[in-house]
Amino acid sequence: MPGFTNLDYAALAFFLVAWFGYHAAVELTPAGQKSLNKVMNQYRYRWMEQMVVRENRIVDTTIMASLMNGTAFFASTSLIAIGGVLALLQSTDSVLPVFADLPFGEPPTRLAWDVKVVGLAVIFVYAFFKFAWSYRLFNYMAIIVGAVPVLKESSREEALAVARQAAAMNAVAGKHFNRGQRAFFFSLAYLGWFVSAYLFIGATAGVLLVMWRRQFLSDAHDAALRQTDV
């Protein structure tokens, strides 16, 4: 394609491998079971187990509202980002001279610029779908929580079973929320491509390193594990 070099294709391939490789490592491999996301899923189940024994569930509804509000914020942010990216397509003639003066890489062609902008829009659209679906799943979880019967000796098994269903829905909602955030993080690396393929590769490696560290080597991960070991 005119405007793209072999280095651009290599940088894009590295970006895609990094994204999908990280996804596979965190969600599909045994090593991913030790990630911060998986550790927090254990707390989701423990939360629902504690919710069953509370007759007054105001605390639980407050937490659920917080989760939904946070997800709605990111979904709205995704729409704003999509609008901003589409606006870039209308300002190509103004932006290209600016990037042509940068000392990094080759000046972009109009076709290359438009393709890169569309790619960024695709990332934000993907993020919006993930956040919107996560918001809907948190709503489903709230409905299931409302269906959890009051804990009595006669309804103990039913209450625990429905609570586990709520926890499972919570975990699925959290999974899609994490995927949406992952798209946001990788979109920051993608921005490097507008400047240089070298910066694109370096930014992708940097984002991958930061995300991996947060999932497996961060103080938050250690704190969550200490709590589960108590």
Side-chain angles (χ1 to χ4, degrees):
M1 183 181 296
F4 291 96
T5 65
N6 290 334
L7 182 60
D8 287 306
Y9 293 122
L12 180 59
F14 177 67
F15 175 78
L16 295 175
V17 169
W19 189 337
F20 290 109
Y22 180 85
H23 165 81
V26 172
E27 297 190 13
L28 304 177
T29 65
Q33 298 302 315
K34 298 180 181 180
S35 67
L36 181 58
N37 290 343
K38 296 297 184 180
V39 173
M40 293 309 300
N41 282 344
Q42 299 174 23
Y43 282 97
R44 298 178 195 272
Y45 282 90
R46 291 178 63 178
W47 169 26
M48 291 295 102
E49 290 172 358
Q50 292 299 315
M51 182 270 298
V52 170
V53 302
R54 286 192 286 264
E55 290 188 16
N56 188 335
R57 297 172 181 172
I58 295 178
V59 173
D60 307 295
T61 56
T62 301
I63 297 173
M64 287 186 291
S66 176
L67 291 173
M68 287 188 284
N69 288 338
T71 307
F73 168 78
F74 278 101
S76 300
T77 303
S78 300
L79 287 177
I80 295 173
I82 293 170
V85 170
L86 294 180
L88 286 176
L89 291 175
Q90 302 296 324
S91 58
T92 302
D93 293 332
S94 301
V95 173
L96 285 182
V98 175
F99 279 85
D101 292 336
L102 293 177
F104 307 104
E106 295 293 330
T109 64
R110 184 183 184 89
L111 176 61
W113 173 265
D114 289 342
V115 170
K116 291 176 183 178
V117 170
V118 170
L120 185 60
V122 170
I123 294 176
F124 285 128
V125 168
Y126 170 83
F128 169 75
F129 273 96
K130 286 301 177 181
F131 288 129
W133 182 233
S134 176
Y135 181 83
R136 188 60 176 165
L137 293 178
F138 279 127
N139 276 274
Y140 290 155
M141 183 202 74
I143 294 172
I144 298 175
V145 167
V148 177
V150 176
L151 184 63
K152 298 179 181 178
E153 193 61 35
S154 59
S155 62
R156 180 177 180 81
E157 291 301 321
E158 180 187 1
L160 290 175
V162 180
R164 293 189 190 101
Q165 289 179 317
M169 186 65 74
N170 194 344
V172 175
K175 178 179 68 175
H176 287 279
F177 180 85
N178 291 332
R179 290 176 179 177
Q181 276 204 326
R182 191 178 306 156
F184 267 27
F185 293 144
F186 275 107
S187 70
L188 298 177
Y190 187 92
L191 291 175
W193 199 14
F194 288 91
V195 179
S196 166
Y198 290 107
L199 183 59
F200 188 20
I201 294 173
T204 300
V207 168
L208 183 63
L209 178 62
V210 170
M211 292 176 61
W212 183 267
R213 183 184 177 281
R214 287 182 176 180
Q215 283 295 322
F216 297 97
L217 301 174
S218 64
D219 50 359
H221 179 268
D222 294 339
L225 282 180
R226 276 200 297 269
Q227 291 297 320
T228 57
D229 291 340
V230 172

